[in-house]
Amino acid sequence: MFGPPTQWILARARSRLERGGSLTGALTLPDPSEQQRVALAGLLGRRPRSGRSLRVDVDDLDTVVRRSGCAPSLAAAVVALTGPVVDRAALAAEAARDWRAVFALADPLVDARPALGAWRDRLGTTGLLRRLAGSREEGQALMAAAVSVLGALPADGAPISVFAARVLGDGHGLDADRPLSSLVLDAVALLGRSLSADGDDGDAGDDGDAGPDELVGRTARSAEWRREAWAAVGVLVSELALPVLTLGLPGDRHSVTGRVLDLWRGAGEPVHLSLRQLVGDPPTLTALAGTAVFVCENPAVVSAAADRLGARCRPLVCVGGMPAAAAASLLRLLADAGAVLRYHGDFDWGGLAIANTVTTRFGAVPWRYDRAHYERALRPGLAGLVGRPVDARFDPDLSDALGEHRHRVEEEAVLDDLLADLGPTPPADPGDAPSVASRDPH
């Protein structure tokens, strides 16, 4: 009855049944061949019809099937000829209910920590959990593990492998290539930001003005961003990599890191601070409240300051480019302590990008880093600017100046001015530094 020219009838009837629909109304075939027209006419016992499509009433087909005696109905004929029909709509509804139960595992955690609500909601809208898991059973196991990990935060400065072994019983459970790491990373970042806001009455956060949705939707997943996100909740990832360079930071008597800082400050020598030290044994920096702490881009500034000023150098931090996890942790400690961060970098597009980060995320203000100081430093023979232009959010006029002159000025070219500011009696530079800049913490 249903040969090749009429197989489209079975295919369309089966598709409708699989979607949970009923076999009523009509079935339509666009652009039929002449053979298909003739076959349908023969099936129904009528003359072939013309037109751009074939349309047949399901009731007519049902009648033909019953009269033929091959099946009691068209639906029964579909099953007999093509196999059992699975109601895909019903299956999809059942799967949706099962996945809602998986997401509900996070409800008690979100109730206790509302900042994680954006993370849980986006897991459903983006499909991340389902992609990582593949099956509902694996999704349930992943979500349960994620809840255990997030519920154990903040940690006490433990390496991530130690933390994973403690919480999951698997020291590699949070390795960067594991699905669980991808699942919790946005939540870790949100939780770190929430903890920071709780600590400073909500005035600052590691992502400036970024809202929860913006943070959760972050597309960049660099290794450094991962290190910093975990560090904000007391978990160390590659904690000895990329330390931050400092000079003249006062320490304290209560932490090993603080005592080391005091020792090197008295010797007038630079010191590298690792993420391990800054998270596991952070110094108390309250002596710097209201005091200017200078932040530079290049280690050459620190080296020259140590050579020329030694122990007389005012507090100085070198980010060494875009702040890595250790530098970001130190800048956050300084900002939370009430220090006045003043930033200087190379006058080029890369320097502006770094300045945007330092000013936006840590509340720094420019230090000799504006149009006037850039134009004062211009001279023949400077290298031209390269790369894509960057808008200086802290000072649009500086971006315009770089675009007009098209030359870069590196920090090494203005060392004398920078070192003069870093000395115990800095020269007056109207509009460059607030009155707190001259205050000495000791």
Side-chain angles (χ1 to χ4, degrees):
M1 173 177 289
F2 291 101
T6 55
Q7 283 294 311
W8 65 270
I9 295 174
L10 296 177
R12 280 162 171 70
R14 183 179 182 87
S15 176
R16 186 177 294 184
L17 291 172
E18 288 177 338
R19 295 196 303 269
S22 59
L23 288 184
T24 59
L27 301 176
T28 303
L29 176 68
D31 301 320
S33 68
E34 185 62 26
Q35 186 182 21
Q36 288 171 322
R37 293 180 188 276
V38 172
L40 179 61
L43 182 65
L44 298 175
R46 66 190 186 194
R47 296 179 60 184
R49 295 180 179 178
S50 60
R52 294 183 177 180
S53 64
L54 282 180
R55 184 179 184 280
V56 58
D57 286 339
V58 171
D59 287 344
D60 292 343
L61 291 170
D62 212 47
T63 300
V64 169
V65 170
R66 285 199 309 272
R67 287 177 178 174
S68 71
C70 70
S73 66
L74 176 60
V78 169
V79 173
L81 294 171
T82 65
V85 174
V86 176
D87 188 338
R88 299 189 184 279
L91 284 179
E94 183 181 359
R97 288 193 297 271
D98 289 344
W99 279 103
R100 283 195 295 271
V102 171
F103 293 123
L105 294 175
D107 287 351
L109 178 67
V110 173
D111 290 342
R113 293 177 167 176
L116 297 179
W119 164 75
R120 179 200 55 192
D121 294 344
R122 284 182 64 95
L123 287 183
T125 58
T126 64
L128 175 62
L129 177 59
R130 299 182 73 158
R131 291 196 305 273
L132 291 171
S135 69
R136 184 193 63 80
E137 292 75 15
E138 182 61 24
Q140 184 172 354
L142 272 177
M143 180 60 88
V147 169
S148 295
V149 167
L150 297 173
L153 296 174
D156 54 1
I160 194 166
S161 59
V162 174
F163 176 74
R166 180 193 307 162
V167 176
L168 303 170
D170 178 2
H172 295 286
L174 291 170
D175 286 358
D177 59 350
R178 292 289 185 92
L180 182 59
S181 176
S182 300
L183 184 66
V184 302
L185 189 52
D186 283 329
V188 167
L190 279 172
L191 186 56
R193 184 170 183 259
S194 173
L195 293 172
S196 175
D198 288 343
D200 58 14
D201 297 325
D203 292 336
D206 278 0
D207 283 84
D209 296 328
D213 287 342
E214 178 184 348
L215 182 59
V216 176
R218 187 193 292 261
T219 57
R221 286 294 181 271
S222 68
E224 199 53 47
W225 187 84
R226 178 173 178 264
R227 291 178 66 220
E228 189 177 338
W230 279 109
V233 293
V235 177
L236 303 177
V237 179
S238 301
E239 66 269 26
L240 299 180
L242 300 176
V244 58
L245 181 62
T246 71
L247 176 66
L249 284 186
D252 63 79
R253 301 296 180 185
H254 309 294
S255 66
V256 174
T257 304
R259 293 195 291 273
V260 167
L261 280 175
D262 253 347
L263 179 66
W264 286 111
R265 182 175 187 267
E269 289 294 329
V271 58
H272 282 100
L273 296 177
S274 68
L275 185 63
R276 178 185 180 89
Q277 294 167 309
L278 292 167
V279 174
D281 184 39
T284 300
L285 299 171
T286 52
L288 290 170
T291 301
V293 174
F294 296 85
V295 183
C296 63
E297 178 183 347
N298 296 285
V301 178
V302 179
S303 179
D307 290 341
R308 188 179 303 184
L309 300 171
R312 297 179 297 121
C313 183
R314 297 161 72 191
L316 177 63
V317 175
C318 175
V319 293
M322 195 63 72
S329 294
L330 178 57
L331 293 178
R332 173 54 55 209
L333 287 173
L334 290 165
D336 289 346
V340 180
L341 301 178
R342 300 192 57 81
Y343 177 79
H344 188 280
D346 293 336
F347 286 106
D348 58 16
W349 301 129
L352 295 191
I354 297 167
N356 279 338
T357 295
V358 176
T359 55
T360 300
R361 295 185 58 196
F362 307 107
V365 293
W367 165 34
R368 292 185 178 270
Y369 203 61
D370 54 23
R371 174 188 279 270
H373 288 94
Y374 169 62
E375 292 181 338
R376 187 186 306 171
L378 291 173
R379 65 177 189 276
L382 291 172
L385 286 174
V386 296
R388 180 178 300 177
V390 173
D391 291 328
R393 295 194 294 268
F394 58 93
D395 184 1
D397 196 35
L398 179 55
S399 301
D400 294 340
L402 266 67
E404 292 169 13
H405 297 286
R406 306 297 304 174
H407 288 291
R408 62 180 303 192
V409 177
E410 296 175 329
E411 281 189 305
E412 290 83 350
V414 293
L415 268 178
D416 287 343
D417 288 340
L418 300 180
L419 295 181
D421 286 344
L422 293 170
T425 55
D429 189 351
D432 179 63
S435 59
V436 295
S438 61
R439 177 178 164 187
D440 193 304
H442 288 279

